Amino acid sequence: MPKEQKKTHFQYPENLIIKVVSLEDAIKLQYINGIECTPENLANTEIKDFTYHLQSILTKYIEDLSPDIEDRIENKFFIETEGEHKNKYIGMLFLENQPHQEALTHKLALLAYKITYSVITQKDILSVTYTDQKSSDDKAFITEHSEKFINKKNARSIKHPFTVSPEIDKKTQPKVELLVSGQYCAPTFSTHKPTPMEGYAVPAGYDEYDNTISLYSIDSTNKISSKPFTLICNHADHIMTLACAKVNNDILYYTGDRFENPKGPNKQKTYVLSTLSIASDDNPYETFQLQSS
């Protein structure tokens, strides 16, 4: 049986590393102060899973620094019912309360930012990025654990979007925030390079939360496929172009890459869109017919 929420006047802990904040409102709003949640009664599993995964990565980093280090990374979940993130689920990571941890806290926040930035596909909408003038001393660690994260998620759709706000030095930049929505990055394998693709298509639809669009491809005999295929799109302009073409019955021209995951079911394919435009009036597919299934 889920534990009952604890009524608290919540305060952010010292040595805060990162906040993970839902875009959707929480389900239960029965208290006037912050509601502290346990993992069992946190309805937003996206936030719980992401927070836990970052915690395990940052804990590994601390252990690699020194096996005898006593600092521990803790997590906490709650619903903020007043303030900047009113009615939102929030997950956070922080160093247990010990003095003089500013340098390590900043280092861990920067690592969390760079790993998050490396595993998400959408980087241009609602995100406020961090400008780091220094080259990272932890590049190998970031690359290794970003790849492990990507392989584990395997381009999974993010059904409940959220933002990630690392507590990076606010003297150099007042706010850093990354939007995590759409899908996680697709795994890539050194033995399987992406295959370029291009063609003409009829618009089918789009999903702004998953950051995907669907197209009916047109073959060389001017036949439209009976089933649409889905592509990951990383720019809001792609969705606008598709919507415009759908309203005006226009044909679309697309380019992109096809990725194959040899470890996935039936050699799972992922399509990533590069460009999308409305075909010119003299395109070769002015007349077309639906292909029979």
Side-chain angles (χ1 to χ4, degrees):
M1 183 175 181
K3 296 181 181 179
E4 183 178 355
Q5 284 100 338
K6 184 169 63 178
K7 184 176 179 181
T8 62
H9 185 72
F10 191 85
Q11 291 185 343
Y12 285 100
E14 297 291 331
N15 302 322
L16 180 63
I17 299 169
I18 198 165
K19 289 188 298 186
V20 183
V21 184
S22 66
L23 294 187
E24 303 169 349
D25 283 351
I27 297 174
K28 294 182 179 181
L29 303 172
Q30 66 266 48
Y31 297 131
I32 59 172
N33 295 317
I35 306 170
E36 184 175 350
C37 301
T38 65
E40 291 79 14
N41 64 17
L42 181 67
N44 193 314
T45 56
E46 302 273 9
I47 284 181
K48 179 179 69 175
D49 292 345
F50 190 88
T51 304
Y52 275 175
H53 202 92
L54 271 185
Q55 182 179 12
S56 67
I57 293 173
L58 298 182
T59 297
K60 178 67 167 62
Y61 180 80
I62 288 181
E63 291 173 350
D64 289 348
L65 284 178
S66 172
D68 300 325
I69 197 166
E70 296 182 355
D71 299 305
R72 292 200 311 270
I73 298 174
E74 304 288 347
N75 66 56
K76 192 175 287 289
F77 303 94
F78 80 108
I79 300 169
E80 187 168 281
T81 53
E82 57 186 6
E84 180 184 2
H85 304 299
K86 185 177 180 181
N87 300 342
K88 307 300 183 186
Y89 289 109
I90 297 179
M92 67 190 73
L93 296 176
F94 57 95
L95 282 172
E96 63 177 353
N97 195 14
Q98 296 184 23
H100 312 300
Q101 295 296 324
E102 291 84 0
L104 181 57
T105 300
H106 173 76
K107 168 69 80 173
L108 293 171
L110 190 56
L111 280 172
Y113 166 82
K114 290 186 175 181
I115 290 169
T116 301
Y117 189 86
S118 298
V119 303
I120 58 177
T121 58
Q122 180 174 338
K123 299 182 174 72
D124 60 334
I125 305 173
L126 296 185
S127 295
V128 181
T129 56
Y130 174 67
T131 303
D132 187 9
Q133 304 297 333
K134 302 176 183 178
S135 60
S136 175
D137 297 330
D138 304 301
K139 188 174 181 180
F141 182 90
I142 294 167
T143 300
E144 175 188 353
H145 288 277
S146 295
E147 288 178 354
K148 288 181 178 178
F149 192 113
I150 289 170
N151 291 336
K152 180 179 180 179
K153 294 299 183 182
N154 195 23
R156 184 185 303 171
S157 296
I158 300 164
K159 296 181 180 179
H160 303 286
F162 53 90
T163 60
V164 174
S165 301
E167 294 296 302
I168 297 174
D169 189 359
K170 294 182 179 180
K171 295 178 181 178
T172 59
Q173 184 164 328
K175 179 181 180 181
V176 178
E177 187 173 86
L178 290 174
L179 173 66
V180 181
S181 68
Q183 290 179 296
Y184 290 107
C185 290
T188 57
F189 301 89
S190 57
T191 55
H192 287 76
K193 294 183 179 180
T195 303
M197 62 179 195
E198 63 177 335
Y200 292 92
V202 174
Y206 63 89
D207 189 324
E208 59 184 332
Y209 283 107
D210 283 348
N211 258 13
T212 59
I213 68 167
S214 298
L215 302 174
Y216 292 102
S217 61
I218 303 174
D219 67 16
S220 58
T221 63
N222 291 4
K223 289 184 179 179
I224 304 174
S225 62
S226 59
K227 294 181 180 179
F229 69 105
T230 301
L231 304 93
I232 299 171
C233 63
N234 298 325
H235 300 284
D237 288 349
H238 293 158
I239 293 177
M240 296 298 294
T241 300
L242 182 139
C244 182
K246 196 169 181 65
V247 169
N248 297 314
N249 295 319
D250 287 327
I251 302 298
L252 292 166
Y253 176 73
Y254 66 90
T255 66
D257 292 296
R258 182 177 72 248
F259 296 85
E260 288 192 17
N261 179 3
K263 297 183 180 180
N266 301 320
K267 292 187 177 180
Q268 179 182 353
K269 296 181 177 65
T270 301
Y271 303 97
V272 179
L273 189 66
S274 297
T275 65
L276 185 69
S277 59
I278 295 175
S280 60
D281 294 337
D282 57 352
N283 77 77
Y285 298 108
E286 288 182 348
T287 60
F288 48 84
Q289 57 184 344
L290 185 65
Q291 180 176 327
S292 60
S293 51

